[in-house]
Amino acid sequence: MEPVWQVGPATVPVHGLFVALGVFAAMLVFIAEARRRGAVNEQSVVAVAGALVGGAIGMRLSGWAQHLDFSANPSLAQAWQFGSRSILGGLLGAYLGVLVAKRLGGYRGKTGDLFAPAVALGMAIGRIGCHLTEAPGRPTTLPWGIHAPATTPECPGCVAGQAMHPSFLYEIAFQLTAFAILLWLRNRISHPGELFVIYIAGYAAFRFLVEFVRANDTVWLDLTRPQWFLLPSLLIIGIRLWYGHRHGYYRPAARNQEVPV
């Protein structure tokens, strides 16, 4: 696993490269979907800007509140410079960024349906960088276990030469599957904004389960920090899905009915 690639005289950070490619791919999908729905306007541009700014801030600061004892946490400046760059923090920051940008711009329309497939594809590409540079997962005896160099940061199993779960490959497979399903559902869901709800629900459930084979440290009751973050989130999302189901949000759209944005 190489954290950087040497391309002639240039040094390219592998993780940053695939994150940038993921963001670029997500923007292309967002623009294509906005054009398909006739939603290319100033409001959609403002929403994208809010997502990018909020996502960057959330990812950078996600490592700030790691401990219940706040004196053990880094300062905001340290978290910004050396933060864990959590995907969950980035998603939360992007969501809040869109809400703030829309409120400042006075836009009340739904934009989640535009973001859902774009985020899924962008995440799949970005996770390639994680697979190439980070500790893959916990040790396993399964035949598809992979080995990583002993120089991989924060990976005792790598030093011991153990086979480990390819947890990032699991996530890449999930995100590509989610991308395909969201494209299939986009004309079949009758209520605006529900594609994003479905994607977030699916990813939250998947991420909670995949944490059991990832290399993250457990903090209490054999659960990791992301899992403790996801537990109340899953409850809220479950209530939201139940509400949508009760109100008929997931009934198939009429064949000739155009799904609103």
Side-chain angles (χ1 to χ4, degrees):
M1 295 188 180
E2 296 292 337
V4 296
W5 285 340
Q6 198 68 36
V7 182
T11 300
V12 180
V14 176
H15 187 273
L17 171 64
F18 281 97
V19 168
L21 290 175
V23 171
F24 180 70
M27 291 183 64
L28 291 180
V29 172
F30 180 93
I31 292 171
E33 189 64 7
R35 285 179 175 173
R36 189 184 73 87
R37 293 173 177 265
V40 179
N41 49 43
E42 292 182 1
Q43 287 80 11
S44 62
V45 173
V46 168
V48 170
L52 292 175
V53 174
I57 294 174
M59 188 174 290
R60 285 279 186 170
L61 298 182
S62 56
W64 172 61
Q66 297 185 28
H67 307 283
L68 294 177
D69 179 6
F70 280 90
S71 64
N73 291 320
S75 66
L76 287 175
Q78 290 171 328
W80 179 264
Q81 187 174 3
F82 306 109
S84 59
R85 293 166 173 78
S86 164
I87 288 294
L88 291 177
L91 284 175
L92 178 60
Y95 176 71
L96 295 176
V98 171
L99 292 182
V100 171
K102 288 167 63 175
R103 178 60 61 89
L104 293 176
Y107 181 57
R108 305 298 182 187
K110 299 286 188 179
T111 55
D113 291 344
L114 303 177
F115 278 106
V119 171
L121 181 60
M123 290 273 285
I125 296 173
R127 281 308 197 191
I128 297 174
C130 298
H131 175 68
L132 294 175
T133 60
E134 298 182 20
R138 298 180 185 179
T140 181
T141 58
L142 293 172
W144 56 79
I146 61 174
H147 293 81
T151 54
T152 304
E154 301 180 4
C155 183
C158 302
V159 177
Q162 296 174 298
M164 290 164 291
H165 282 282
S167 62
F168 293 117
L169 294 183
Y170 298 160
E171 181 156 353
I172 291 169
F174 168 83
Q175 298 291 356
L176 290 176
T177 302
F179 176 67
I181 292 174
L182 291 168
L183 292 183
W184 180 76
L185 284 175
R186 61 186 180 179
N187 287 331
R188 292 172 170 83
I189 297 297
S190 60
H191 197 272
E194 293 307 303
L195 275 185
F196 187 74
V197 174
I198 291 171
Y199 170 70
I200 290 298
Y203 181 60
F206 166 81
R207 180 61 189 270
F208 184 86
L209 294 175
V210 83
E211 278 293 311
F212 287 111
V213 299
R214 286 194 60 178
N216 292 329
D217 294 332
T218 58
V219 292
W220 191 41
L221 298 179
D222 290 329
L223 297 179
T224 65
R225 287 187 181 88
Q227 285 175 315
W228 282 111
F229 171 82
L230 287 166
L231 275 177
S233 303
L234 284 168
L235 176 61
I236 295 171
I237 293 169
I239 293 173
R240 176 61 178 78
L241 287 173
W242 172 82
Y243 177 88
H245 173 71
R246 285 292 302 271
H247 287 75
Y249 291 174
Y250 308 125
R251 294 171 187 161
R255 178 167 298 180
N256 295 323
Q257 175 184 350
E258 185 175 345
V259 178
V261 178

